[in-house]
Amino acid sequence: MAMDKTMLKRKINEASFAMDDARLFLDTHPNCPDALEYYRDMCAVRKKLVEEYTAAYGPLSSYDCFCGDDWTWVDQPWPWEGECK
Amino acid sequence: MWSYERRLQYPVNIKETNPKLAMVIMSQFGGPDGELAASMRYLSQRYAMPYRKVSGVLTDIGTEELAHLEIVGTIVYQLTKNLTPEEIAASGFDKYYVDHTLGIWPQAAGGIPFNACEFQSKGDPITDLVEDMAAEQKARSTYDNILRLVHDHDVCDPIRFLREREIVHFQRFGESLRIVQEKLDSRNYYAINPAFMADKAR
């Protein structure tokens, strides 16, 4: 079943954070096999989620903007906007 | 080169505004132990760091601090969104408002503007890394101070995340210092600057 936007974003945040944290650990423990495997696994998970999100809701990175007739990068909400009206 | 990703590292969705609290949390945007100082400190120190692994730590933590700057900016923005002049006057936010309206500007909670003197880039790996470890502790203490004043879960949650990252960064800088110390040979017993030519020759 396809995930909704909020859930997909949440999963992307989780996989990205797993990589952010493991990256720092690997910087000072570059030969740790468990950390290397973890980073590789999370990288694959994240890649799949980002592709799914980009296809459904638009790019998270401007490098992934596929130029059609309109420039849509600036139409989506910015992350600081939040829910408070 | 940096590349922007359209998401916060940790989500922020605050439902109740609170300008008094925004005034305090603002210190972690542009205050003495805030995220802007942290990012600029590590990204500036990278160049003179002679060990690639440690330059990597400085680059990656300096980059994460930019994401934290965005989280803190978001918290302050959402806490002050659409305030009325009456709310501004009653909360004590008026002294900030008069100069910045509801814009986000880097200053300490007490109104002191951001200043590069809040961090050092000394060109000495040991000096710089000891400062970095202290900086992470100072930021952690600041988040502890903030958490004693916050009772709204929507605000506590991202602040707790930021506090935990200070602890992880402290650990990584401790390991970086160990890596530098392992590179010093027995002739450099007093750990004089291993990055400066005149000292290397001694």
mmCIF file of all heavy atoms in Angstrom, chain B residues 14 29 32 78 130 142 148 150 155 158 164 197:
data_model
loop_
_atom_site.group_PDB
_atom_site.id
_atom_site.type_symbol
_atom_site.label_atom_id
_atom_site.label_comp_id
_atom_site.label_asym_id
_atom_site.label_seq_id
_atom_site.Cartn_x
_atom_site.Cartn_y
_atom_site.Cartn_z
ATOM 1 N N ILE B 14 4.611 23.418 15.853
ATOM 2 C CA ILE B 14 4.155 24.060 17.086
ATOM 3 C C ILE B 14 2.759 24.648 16.859
ATOM 4 O O ILE B 14 2.530 25.336 15.861
ATOM 5 C CB ILE B 14 5.173 25.137 17.519
ATOM 6 C CG1 ILE B 14 6.510 24.454 17.862
ATOM 7 C CG2 ILE B 14 4.659 25.949 18.707
ATOM 8 C CD1 ILE B 14 7.681 25.389 17.998
ATOM 9 N N PHE B 29 19.949 30.239 18.179
ATOM 10 C CA PHE B 29 20.108 30.630 16.765
ATOM 11 C C PHE B 29 21.401 31.451 16.643
ATOM 12 O O PHE B 29 22.332 31.022 15.981
ATOM 13 C CB PHE B 29 18.884 31.436 16.298
ATOM 14 C CG PHE B 29 18.810 31.625 14.799
ATOM 15 C CD1 PHE B 29 18.351 30.611 13.984
ATOM 16 C CD2 PHE B 29 19.197 32.820 14.215
ATOM 17 C CE1 PHE B 29 18.274 30.778 12.595
ATOM 18 C CE2 PHE B 29 19.124 32.994 12.830
ATOM 19 C CZ PHE B 29 18.664 31.971 12.023
ATOM 20 N N PRO B 32 25.789 33.058 22.062
ATOM 21 C CA PRO B 32 27.198 32.676 22.236
ATOM 22 C C PRO B 32 27.458 31.180 22.064
ATOM 23 O O PRO B 32 28.542 30.796 21.631
ATOM 24 C CB PRO B 32 27.527 33.132 23.658
ATOM 25 C CG PRO B 32 26.213 33.303 24.348
ATOM 26 C CD PRO B 32 25.242 33.707 23.280
ATOM 27 N N GLN B 78 7.803 29.734 14.348
ATOM 28 C CA GLN B 78 6.458 29.228 14.662
ATOM 29 C C GLN B 78 5.942 29.758 16.002
ATOM 30 O O GLN B 78 4.737 29.966 16.168
ATOM 31 C CB GLN B 78 6.439 27.697 14.638
ATOM 32 C CG GLN B 78 6.665 27.139 13.215
ATOM 33 C CD GLN B 78 6.542 25.627 13.135
ATOM 34 O OE1 GLN B 78 6.174 24.959 14.097
ATOM 35 N NE2 GLN B 78 6.872 25.076 11.964
ATOM 36 N N VAL B 130 39.737 21.014 21.537
ATOM 37 C CA VAL B 130 39.348 21.202 22.934
ATOM 38 C C VAL B 130 38.250 22.268 23.004
ATOM 39 O O VAL B 130 37.271 22.126 23.742
ATOM 40 C CB VAL B 130 40.572 21.543 23.821
ATOM 41 C CG1 VAL B 130 40.139 21.937 25.222
ATOM 42 C CG2 VAL B 130 41.516 20.348 23.891
ATOM 43 N N THR B 142 22.952 24.903 27.613
ATOM 44 C CA THR B 142 21.949 25.891 27.206
ATOM 45 C C THR B 142 20.612 25.200 26.927
ATOM 46 O O THR B 142 19.557 25.693 27.335
ATOM 47 C CB THR B 142 22.424 26.669 25.961
ATOM 48 O OG1 THR B 142 23.733 27.167 26.214
ATOM 49 C CG2 THR B 142 21.490 27.828 25.639
ATOM 50 N N ARG B 148 14.160 23.554 31.092
ATOM 51 C CA ARG B 148 13.548 23.849 32.394
ATOM 52 C C ARG B 148 12.433 24.893 32.274
ATOM 53 O O ARG B 148 11.594 25.001 33.156
ATOM 54 C CB ARG B 148 14.610 24.362 33.370
ATOM 55 C CG ARG B 148 15.555 23.265 33.828
ATOM 56 C CD ARG B 148 16.531 23.755 34.892
ATOM 57 N NE ARG B 148 17.654 22.849 34.948
ATOM 58 C CZ ARG B 148 18.859 23.090 34.452
ATOM 59 N NH1 ARG B 148 19.126 24.264 33.899
ATOM 60 N NH2 ARG B 148 19.806 22.194 34.509
ATOM 61 N N VAL B 150 10.473 25.183 29.359
ATOM 62 C CA VAL B 150 9.479 24.795 28.341
ATOM 63 C C VAL B 150 8.541 23.739 28.893
ATOM 64 O O VAL B 150 8.993 22.737 29.463
ATOM 65 C CB VAL B 150 10.182 24.220 27.085
ATOM 66 C CG1 VAL B 150 9.155 23.881 26.007
ATOM 67 C CG2 VAL B 150 11.192 25.198 26.532
ATOM 68 N N VAL B 155 7.316 21.948 21.609
ATOM 69 C CA VAL B 155 8.598 22.671 21.643
ATOM 70 C C VAL B 155 9.682 21.790 22.265
ATOM 71 O O VAL B 155 10.818 21.714 21.764
ATOM 72 C CB VAL B 155 8.474 24.000 22.430
ATOM 73 C CG1 VAL B 155 9.785 24.775 22.394
ATOM 74 C CG2 VAL B 155 7.339 24.848 21.871
ATOM 75 N N PRO B 158 11.553 18.776 19.726
ATOM 76 C CA PRO B 158 12.743 19.084 18.915
ATOM 77 C C PRO B 158 13.929 19.601 19.737
ATOM 78 O O PRO B 158 15.086 19.347 19.364
ATOM 79 C CB PRO B 158 12.257 20.150 17.919
ATOM 80 C CG PRO B 158 10.988 20.681 18.472
ATOM 81 C CD PRO B 158 10.398 19.593 19.313
ATOM 82 N N GLU B 164 20.385 16.074 22.485
ATOM 83 C CA GLU B 164 21.041 14.766 22.331
ATOM 84 C C GLU B 164 22.162 14.818 21.307
ATOM 85 O O GLU B 164 23.186 14.155 21.452
ATOM 86 C CB GLU B 164 20.017 13.699 21.923
ATOM 87 C CG GLU B 164 19.167 13.234 23.086
ATOM 88 C CD GLU B 164 17.975 12.399 22.646
ATOM 89 O OE1 GLU B 164 17.989 11.860 21.518
ATOM 90 O OE2 GLU B 164 17.019 12.296 23.432
ATOM 91 N N MET B 197 54.315 25.033 10.486
ATOM 92 C CA MET B 197 55.620 24.646 9.971
ATOM 93 C C MET B 197 56.755 24.872 10.970
ATOM 94 O O MET B 197 57.551 23.980 11.224
ATOM 95 C CB MET B 197 55.889 25.434 8.680
ATOM 96 C CG MET B 197 56.947 24.840 7.799
ATOM 97 S SD MET B 197 56.613 23.125 7.365
ATOM 98 C CE MET B 197 55.509 23.351 5.985
#
